[in-house]
């Protein structure tokens, strides 16, 4: 996308603020929308069970406490969702990803039970499959066998967000050609989603 910005600066500047671009990211103070401030960082399940969102030396964590005793701590590793409606969060365990039980809901500007989780049951074992990343990233390299569960990914080979090449196709040849022929307007080696067939659009993932 940085290469695209050389010729499409205005489009790129607009694009980096869109939900497509922001649909996934590495977890950081900037990308996580929920508050870690004392008093605003707690999701209560009942009188004795709560999830506390904490910043520690090694990152940001969802920490489950029961009767004031820490039982489980998992790190925020990946943010899923632009924040238009909300965000949910993924954590690495080995080479597999799992959804954290507490998400962020934009409408209330507060932490919320992750979609599909039972309100009385705290789980850290909902696996993320390749299909999830196909919609929320440009590329993720699955390194596990098709029938292996949970699926495994190369954490160093993920392109976060929906970037230019997700819809317009591999662009190395396009960039090279247009750089050598800046006057050319036929957009060589470039796909236009508006002119794709239904079958081509279905294969975008």
């Amino acid at each position: 996308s940085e290469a695209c910005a050389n010729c499409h600066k205005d489009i790129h500047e607009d694009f980096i603020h869109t939900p497509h671009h922001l649909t996934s990211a590495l977890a950081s103070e900037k990308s996580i929308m929920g508050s870690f401030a004392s008093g605003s960082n707690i999701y209560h399940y009942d009188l004795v069970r709560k999830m506390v969102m904490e910043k520690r030396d090694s990152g940001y964590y969802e920490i489950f406490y029961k009767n004031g005793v820490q039982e489980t701590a998992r790190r925020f590793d990946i943010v899923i969702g632009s924040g238009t409606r909300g965000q949910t969060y993924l954590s690495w365990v080995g080479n597999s990803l799992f959804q954290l039980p507490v998400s962020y809901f934009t409408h209330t500007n507060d932490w919320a039970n992750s979609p599909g989780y039972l309100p009385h049951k705290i789980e850290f074992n909902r696996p993320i499959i390749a299909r999830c990343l196909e919609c929320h990233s440009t590329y993720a390299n699955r390194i596990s066998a098709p029938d292996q569960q949970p699926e495994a990914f190369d954490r160093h080979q993920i392109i976060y967000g929906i970037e230019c090449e997700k819809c317009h196709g591999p662009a190395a040849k396009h960039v090279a050609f247009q750089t050598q022929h800046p006057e050319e307007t036929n957009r060589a080696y470039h796909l236009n989603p508006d002119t794709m067939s239904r079958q081509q659009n279905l294969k975008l993932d």
Side-chain angles (χ1 to χ4, degrees), residues 72-84:
T72 306
R74 290 283 175 83
R75 191 173 66 182
F76 289 75
D77 287 316
I78 297 174
V79 175
I80 296 294
S82 66
T84 301

Side-chain angles (χ1 to χ4, degrees), residues 4-107:
C4 300
N6 291 330
C7 294
H8 305 284
K9 182 177 179 181
D10 291 343
I11 293 173
H12 182 265
E13 287 299 316
D14 288 339
F15 171 70
I16 60 176
H17 300 290
T18 63
H20 272 88
H21 177 73
L22 300 172
T23 193
S24 62
L26 287 171
S28 68
E29 183 177 6
K30 181 179 178 180
S31 63
I32 300 171
M33 295 183 69
S35 175
F36 288 81
S38 179
S40 300
N41 62 334
I42 302 173
Y43 180 79
H44 291 277
Y45 291 96
D46 49 41
L47 294 177
V48 300
R49 300 181 304 162
K50 63 183 179 181
M51 196 73 69
V52 182
M53 276 47 72
E54 297 183 12
K55 180 180 179 180
R56 296 184 170 182
D57 290 342
S58 56
Y60 295 87
Y61 286 81
E62 285 193 9
I63 304 172
F64 173 51
Y65 290 91
K66 184 175 181 181
N67 290 316
V69 178
Q70 175 181 319
E71 296 217 343
T72 306
R74 290 283 175 83
R75 191 173 66 182
F76 289 75
D77 287 316
I78 297 174
V79 175
I80 296 294
S82 66
T84 301
R85 292 183 175 84
Q87 293 180 329
T88 196
Y89 309 99
L90 313 182
S91 185
W92 287 106
V93 178
N95 290 319
S96 297
L97 285 164
F98 296 85
Q99 184 181 24
L100 294 176
V102 171
S103 295
Y104 171 81
F105 187 39
T106 302
H107 180 69

